[in-house]
Amino acid sequence: MNITYTENIPVFNCDMITFLLMAVIVLMIGYWLKKRIWFLDKFCIPAPVVGGFIFAIVVLILKNTNILLFEMDKTLQKPLMLAFFTTIGLGASLSLLKKGGISLIIYWAFCALLSILQNVIGVSVAKIMNLNPLIGVLTGSISMEGGHGAAAAFGPTLQKLGVDGATTIGLAAATFGLIVGGLIGGPISRYLIKRNNLSCEHTNNFSVHDIEHDKETSGKITTKEIFIHIGIICFCIVVGEKICLILGSSTELVLPSYVGAMFLAVILRNINDRAKIFEINQVVVDYVGDITLGIFLSMALMSLQLWLLVDLALPLIIILAAQTIFMIVFCLFICFKAFGKDYDAAVMVAGMAGHGMGATPNAIANMGAVCEKYGESKKAFLIVPLVGAFLIDLVGIPSILFFINFFK
């Protein structure tokens, strides 16, 4: 941690430990504000979004007034993300996936539909305003459902196809989506729960957080157990990333680094269920998942460069507003009915809004905020992460490639 100067403007350089400290403080501020501001609690706004967004606004103000710039060492952000998705994989036993059955397929199908419709909306609005239709694709499923990763991956390609500043536009749109996805999910879910008088007591739940509770380890968690689970998580991360690198280099597919870790954890979990090599304590797994998600999402929100949104031209803001309106309508009147019109469906809708406009951690945070207030939805916490983390790419990327090649 030190202060340097750029063009006579002080720059606060945060090393990774300082950034970690700041992220924890920001997260605690988010929880503190949620308890004291009725709007945040009532509409289930996730604590990392509350604290992180406020921090990002402060950074924007300080930058624009030339008072102070922030440079953050985000070294820990990726490992935290990988650890979180690994815990999701470690909770996904095959028996639970079988229980997901038709519900998982339906959710996946609607994610595919969303990807196509987001591109149609983006291209249509872009054409109406005489913009390059590829800008519409860029502000469609690339930056909405795809998020920052897809925006960064496809930006250079669209730049070569004539979209000036494609990467910047995509990241700005993804930033917008990340914020909005974290803001609308909770209120949509709350509206559906209140309007339909829904309760978690009347659903048949299953989850990555519920691995047959009667067989779950009870009592005090030991240090040895924690070490064993940390070792398992680290093994999945290291080997999973290697698998992604090999597949990416041999097939030229763009694979997010967490995909390998998460699905290796799924495989390891289900092999262990049969072979009984070691005891997986789901309580430990859940604790690690909650901690890593909270800090990772806080870091992601704190790192948002909101000035990219300020610099967006009015036409782009109109496209993003159209995407937001469509997402609300899509969740309220289409997804909720398709998912079963019960409490699980209302929570899954919050997840759809989260990763449909931002990222899977947003979806988890949205659902977590809703479940914290109204009760758990084990079904949602299995289906949404599995589809949002990987399965969605199987339909999302082909959709993106089709629209790019059609309008290039």
Side-chain angles (χ1 to χ4, degrees):
M1 179 178 67
N2 59 80
I3 301 291
T4 59
Y5 289 85
T6 300
E7 297 179 354
N8 295 324
I9 302 174
V11 180
F12 185 71
N13 297 286
C14 305
D15 57 42
M16 70 176 180
I17 300 301
T18 303
F19 189 31
L20 175 61
L21 171 63
M22 293 169 63
V24 173
I25 293 173
V26 164
L27 179 60
M28 293 300 101
I29 291 174
Y31 280 115
W32 184 81
L33 290 173
K34 274 196 66 175
K35 288 183 178 180
R36 286 159 178 77
I37 301 178
W38 69 271
F39 174 84
L40 299 176
D41 179 64
K42 182 177 181 179
F43 291 98
C44 306
I45 307 301
V49 174
V50 175
F53 189 38
I54 291 174
F55 183 87
I57 292 175
V58 172
V59 170
L60 174 65
I61 294 172
L62 293 175
K63 177 184 181 296
N64 286 347
T65 53
N66 293 328
I67 294 176
L68 183 66
L69 301 177
F70 280 84
E71 290 291 339
M72 303 171 187
D73 184 343
K74 295 181 282 187
T75 302
L76 292 175
Q77 189 170 323
K78 181 179 177 181
L80 288 168
M81 176 194 70
L82 294 173
F84 164 69
F85 281 111
T86 302
T87 63
I88 293 295
L90 285 176
S93 68
L94 184 59
S95 61
L96 297 179
L97 292 175
K98 288 180 179 178
K99 288 182 180 179
I102 189 65
S103 296
L104 187 145
I105 294 174
I106 291 173
Y107 189 87
W108 187 21
F110 273 79
C111 286
L113 177 62
L114 175 62
S115 175
I116 295 171
L117 293 178
Q118 283 180 334
N119 287 331
V120 169
I121 291 171
V123 169
S124 299
V125 178
K127 281 194 167 186
I128 290 174
M129 296 185 293
N130 295 318
L131 296 174
N132 186 335
L134 289 177
I135 293 179
V137 181
L138 184 59
T139 53
S141 66
I142 289 179
S143 54
M144 296 289 99
E145 200 170 53
H148 287 81
F154 285 99
T157 300
L158 293 175
Q159 181 86 27
K160 293 178 182 178
L161 294 175
V163 181
D164 294 333
T167 301
T168 299
I169 293 172
L171 290 174
T175 300
F176 175 91
L178 184 67
I179 296 170
V180 173
L183 291 174
I184 67 174
I188 290 174
S189 184
R190 175 188 178 277
Y191 170 78
L192 291 171
I193 291 170
K194 290 293 186 181
R195 180 181 179 182
N196 297 281
N197 194 29
L198 302 176
S199 170
C200 65
E201 298 175 358
H202 302 111
T203 58
N204 295 317
N205 288 325
F206 58 96
S207 171
V208 294
H209 297 296
D210 182 30
I211 313 300
E212 298 183 12
H213 282 298
D214 57 322
K215 297 181 181 179
E216 193 171 57
T217 302
S218 60
K220 183 179 178 181
I221 296 173
T222 66
T223 304
K224 181 180 177 181
E225 280 184 305
I226 296 174
F227 279 133
I228 290 173
H229 286 75
I230 290 176
I232 295 170
I233 291 169
C234 291
F235 171 81
C236 291
I237 292 174
V238 172
V239 178
E241 278 201 290
K242 296 295 183 184
I243 293 173
C244 279
L245 288 173
I246 293 172
L247 290 176
S249 60
S250 60
T251 63
E252 297 185 356
L253 290 175
V254 178
L255 293 174
S257 56
Y258 61 77
V259 170
M262 178 178 176
F263 277 86
L264 179 60
V266 172
I267 295 171
L268 185 63
R269 168 59 196 263
N270 287 282
I271 291 175
N272 186 69
D273 282 351
R274 291 181 176 274
K276 304 298 181 183
I277 303 170
F278 43 77
E279 185 75 25
I280 292 181
N281 187 332
Q282 194 59 37
V283 175
V284 176
V285 173
D286 288 346
Y287 275 141
V288 174
D290 291 342
I291 292 169
T292 52
L293 173 63
I295 299 175
F296 159 68
L297 197 56
S298 293
M299 286 181 168
L301 270 292
M302 291 169 68
S303 304
L304 291 179
Q305 296 178 322
L306 294 180
W307 51 90
L308 295 179
L309 291 180
V310 175
D311 294 334
L312 277 176
L314 179 61
L316 296 181
I317 295 176
I318 293 175
I319 295 176
L320 297 176
Q323 297 285 10
T324 302
I325 294 171
F326 166 74
M327 176 57 74
I328 294 173
V329 173
F330 185 67
C331 287
L332 281 174
F333 301 105
I334 301 177
C335 291
F336 178 64
K337 293 181 180 179
F339 297 162
K341 297 191 294 185
D342 58 6
Y343 179 76
D344 287 327
V347 179
M348 288 168 67
V349 160
M352 175 69 80
H355 74 64
M357 292 198 71
T360 303
N362 248 32
I364 305 300
N366 282 353
M367 295 190 302
V370 174
C371 291
E372 184 180 338
K373 185 173 181 66
Y374 297 107
E376 66 178 348
S377 171
K378 302 169 184 177
K379 179 178 180 180
F381 270 93
L382 172 66
I383 292 177
V384 174
L386 287 177
V387 176
F390 177 68
L391 295 177
I392 194 172
D393 291 335
L394 298 181
V395 290
I397 291 178
S399 171
I400 291 170
L401 293 175
F402 171 80
F403 276 88
I404 289 177
N405 284 279
F406 188 83
F407 291 105
K408 65 181 180 181

